[in-house]
Short mmCIF file of all heavy atoms in Angstrom, two decimals:
data_model
loop_
_atom_site.label_atom_id
_atom_site.label_comp_id
_atom_site.label_asym_id
_atom_site.label_seq_id
_atom_site.Cartn_x
_atom_site.Cartn_y
_atom_site.Cartn_z
N ARG A 629 -44.33 -1.69 52.63
CA ARG A 629 -45.33 -1.59 53.71
C ARG A 629 -45.27 -2.73 54.71
O ARG A 629 -45.41 -2.52 55.90
CB ARG A 629 -46.73 -1.59 53.12
CG ARG A 629 -47.26 -0.26 52.82
CD ARG A 629 -48.73 -0.42 52.53
NE ARG A 629 -49.34 0.87 52.48
CZ ARG A 629 -50.40 1.13 51.79
NH1 ARG A 629 -50.99 0.19 51.11
NH2 ARG A 629 -50.90 2.34 51.78
N TYR A 630 -45.11 -3.95 54.20
CA TYR A 630 -45.30 -5.11 55.06
C TYR A 630 -44.03 -5.89 55.37
O TYR A 630 -44.05 -6.78 56.22
CB TYR A 630 -46.34 -6.06 54.44
CG TYR A 630 -47.67 -5.38 54.22
CD1 TYR A 630 -48.09 -5.00 52.95
CD2 TYR A 630 -48.50 -5.07 55.30
CE1 TYR A 630 -49.31 -4.37 52.75
CE2 TYR A 630 -49.72 -4.43 55.11
CZ TYR A 630 -50.11 -4.08 53.83
OH TYR A 630 -51.31 -3.44 53.65
N PHE A 631 -42.94 -5.58 54.68
CA PHE A 631 -41.71 -6.34 54.87
C PHE A 631 -40.51 -5.45 55.13
O PHE A 631 -39.38 -5.82 54.86
CB PHE A 631 -41.45 -7.26 53.66
CG PHE A 631 -42.49 -8.33 53.50
CD1 PHE A 631 -43.57 -8.15 52.66
CD2 PHE A 631 -42.38 -9.52 54.21
CE1 PHE A 631 -44.53 -9.14 52.51
CE2 PHE A 631 -43.34 -10.52 54.06
CZ PHE A 631 -44.42 -10.32 53.22
N GLU A 632 -40.77 -4.24 55.62
CA GLU A 632 -39.73 -3.28 55.98
C GLU A 632 -38.71 -3.09 54.85
O GLU A 632 -37.50 -3.02 55.08
CB GLU A 632 -39.04 -3.71 57.28
CG GLU A 632 -39.99 -3.74 58.45
CD GLU A 632 -39.37 -4.28 59.72
OE1 GLU A 632 -38.18 -4.66 59.72
OE2 GLU A 632 -40.09 -4.32 60.73
N ASN A 633 -39.22 -3.06 53.63
CA ASN A 633 -38.42 -2.83 52.43
C ASN A 633 -37.35 -3.91 52.20
O ASN A 633 -36.32 -3.67 51.61
CB ASN A 633 -37.78 -1.44 52.47
CG ASN A 633 -37.60 -0.88 51.07
OD1 ASN A 633 -38.31 -1.26 50.14
ND2 ASN A 633 -36.64 0.01 50.92
N SER A 634 -37.62 -5.12 52.68
CA SER A 634 -36.67 -6.22 52.57
C SER A 634 -37.23 -7.34 51.69
O SER A 634 -38.15 -8.06 52.10
CB SER A 634 -36.34 -6.78 53.96
OG SER A 634 -35.63 -7.99 53.85
N TYR A 635 -36.64 -7.49 50.50
CA TYR A 635 -37.05 -8.58 49.62
C TYR A 635 -36.64 -9.93 50.22
O TYR A 635 -37.28 -10.94 49.99
CB TYR A 635 -36.48 -8.40 48.22
CG TYR A 635 -37.23 -7.34 47.44
CD1 TYR A 635 -36.91 -5.99 47.55
CD2 TYR A 635 -38.29 -7.69 46.62
CE1 TYR A 635 -37.63 -5.02 46.87
CE2 TYR A 635 -39.02 -6.73 45.92
CZ TYR A 635 -38.68 -5.40 46.05
OH TYR A 635 -39.39 -4.45 45.37
N LYS A 636 -35.58 -9.92 51.01
CA LYS A 636 -35.16 -11.13 51.71
C LYS A 636 -36.26 -11.61 52.65
O LYS A 636 -36.56 -12.81 52.72
CB LYS A 636 -33.87 -10.87 52.50
CG LYS A 636 -33.35 -12.07 53.24
CD LYS A 636 -32.07 -11.73 54.00
CE LYS A 636 -31.62 -12.89 54.86
NZ LYS A 636 -30.47 -12.53 55.69
N SER A 637 -36.91 -10.68 53.33
CA SER A 637 -38.02 -11.04 54.21
C SER A 637 -39.19 -11.61 53.43
O SER A 637 -39.88 -12.52 53.90
CB SER A 637 -38.49 -9.82 55.01
OG SER A 637 -37.47 -9.38 55.88
N VAL A 638 -39.41 -11.10 52.23
CA VAL A 638 -40.48 -11.62 51.38
C VAL A 638 -40.20 -13.07 51.04
O VAL A 638 -41.06 -13.94 51.18
CB VAL A 638 -40.63 -10.78 50.09
CG1 VAL A 638 -41.62 -11.42 49.14
CG2 VAL A 638 -41.01 -9.36 50.41
N VAL A 639 -38.98 -13.34 50.57
CA VAL A 639 -38.61 -14.71 50.20
C VAL A 639 -38.70 -15.62 51.42
O VAL A 639 -39.21 -16.74 51.32
CB VAL A 639 -37.20 -14.74 49.56
CG1 VAL A 639 -36.75 -16.17 49.32
CG2 VAL A 639 -37.20 -13.95 48.26
N SER A 640 -38.24 -15.16 52.57
CA SER A 640 -38.32 -15.95 53.81
C SER A 640 -39.77 -16.30 54.14
O SER A 640 -40.08 -17.43 54.49
CB SER A 640 -37.70 -15.20 54.98
OG SER A 640 -36.32 -15.05 54.80
N ALA A 641 -40.66 -15.32 54.00
CA ALA A 641 -42.08 -15.56 54.27
C ALA A 641 -42.65 -16.58 53.30
O ALA A 641 -43.43 -17.46 53.69
CB ALA A 641 -42.85 -14.25 54.20
N LEU A 642 -42.26 -16.49 52.04
CA LEU A 642 -42.74 -17.46 51.04
C LEU A 642 -42.26 -18.87 51.37
O LEU A 642 -43.01 -19.84 51.20
CB LEU A 642 -42.28 -17.05 49.63
CG LEU A 642 -42.91 -15.78 49.08
CD1 LEU A 642 -42.22 -15.37 47.78
CD2 LEU A 642 -44.40 -15.97 48.86
N ILE A 643 -41.03 -18.99 51.82
CA ILE A 643 -40.49 -20.29 52.19
C ILE A 643 -41.22 -20.83 53.42
O ILE A 643 -41.64 -21.99 53.46
CB ILE A 643 -38.97 -20.21 52.43
CG1 ILE A 643 -38.24 -19.93 51.11
CG2 ILE A 643 -38.44 -21.50 53.07
CD1 ILE A 643 -36.79 -19.56 51.27
N GLU A 644 -41.38 -19.98 54.43
CA GLU A 644 -42.05 -20.39 55.67
C GLU A 644 -43.48 -20.83 55.42
O GLU A 644 -43.96 -21.78 56.04
CB GLU A 644 -42.02 -19.26 56.70
CG GLU A 644 -40.66 -19.02 57.30
CD GLU A 644 -40.61 -17.78 58.18
OE1 GLU A 644 -41.68 -17.29 58.61
OE2 GLU A 644 -39.49 -17.30 58.42
N GLU A 645 -44.16 -20.16 54.52
CA GLU A 645 -45.55 -20.50 54.21
C GLU A 645 -45.64 -21.60 53.16
O GLU A 645 -46.73 -21.94 52.71
CB GLU A 645 -46.30 -19.25 53.71
CG GLU A 645 -46.44 -18.17 54.74
CD GLU A 645 -47.35 -18.58 55.88
OE1 GLU A 645 -48.39 -19.23 55.62
OE2 GLU A 645 -47.02 -18.28 57.04
N GLU A 646 -44.49 -22.13 52.76
CA GLU A 646 -44.40 -23.19 51.75
C GLU A 646 -45.06 -22.79 50.44
O GLU A 646 -45.69 -23.59 49.76
CB GLU A 646 -44.98 -24.49 52.29
CG GLU A 646 -44.20 -25.00 53.50
CD GLU A 646 -44.74 -26.30 54.06
OE1 GLU A 646 -45.72 -26.86 53.52
OE2 GLU A 646 -44.17 -26.77 55.06
N LYS A 647 -44.89 -21.52 50.07
CA LYS A 647 -45.41 -21.00 48.81
C LYS A 647 -44.37 -21.11 47.70
O LYS A 647 -44.69 -20.92 46.53
CB LYS A 647 -45.84 -19.53 48.95
CG LYS A 647 -46.87 -19.28 50.01
CD LYS A 647 -48.20 -19.87 49.63
CE LYS A 647 -49.24 -19.50 50.67
NZ LYS A 647 -50.49 -20.20 50.52
N ILE A 648 -43.12 -21.40 48.09
CA ILE A 648 -42.05 -21.59 47.12
C ILE A 648 -41.20 -22.76 47.62
O ILE A 648 -40.89 -22.85 48.80
CB ILE A 648 -41.21 -20.30 46.93
CG1 ILE A 648 -40.22 -20.47 45.79
CG2 ILE A 648 -40.51 -19.89 48.21
CD1 ILE A 648 -39.54 -19.17 45.39
N SER A 649 -40.88 -23.65 46.71
CA SER A 649 -40.11 -24.83 47.09
C SER A 649 -38.61 -24.55 47.01
O SER A 649 -38.18 -23.56 46.40
CB SER A 649 -40.45 -26.00 46.17
OG SER A 649 -39.96 -25.75 44.86
N ILE A 650 -37.84 -25.42 47.60
CA ILE A 650 -36.38 -25.30 47.56
C ILE A 650 -35.91 -25.37 46.11
O ILE A 650 -35.04 -24.59 45.70
CB ILE A 650 -35.70 -26.41 48.40
CG1 ILE A 650 -36.10 -26.26 49.88
CG2 ILE A 650 -34.20 -26.38 48.23
CD1 ILE A 650 -35.67 -24.96 50.52
#
Side-chain angles (χ1 to χ4, degrees):
R629 269 192 170 153
Y630 302 106
F631 295 95
E632 297 175 0
N633 210 25
S634 168
Y635 284 85
K636 180 180 175 185
S637 295
V638 173
V639 174
S640 293
L642 292 171
I643 292 169
E644 288 173 18
E645 295 293 320
E646 297 181 1
K647 302 291 184 190
I648 187 170
S649 69
I650 297 298

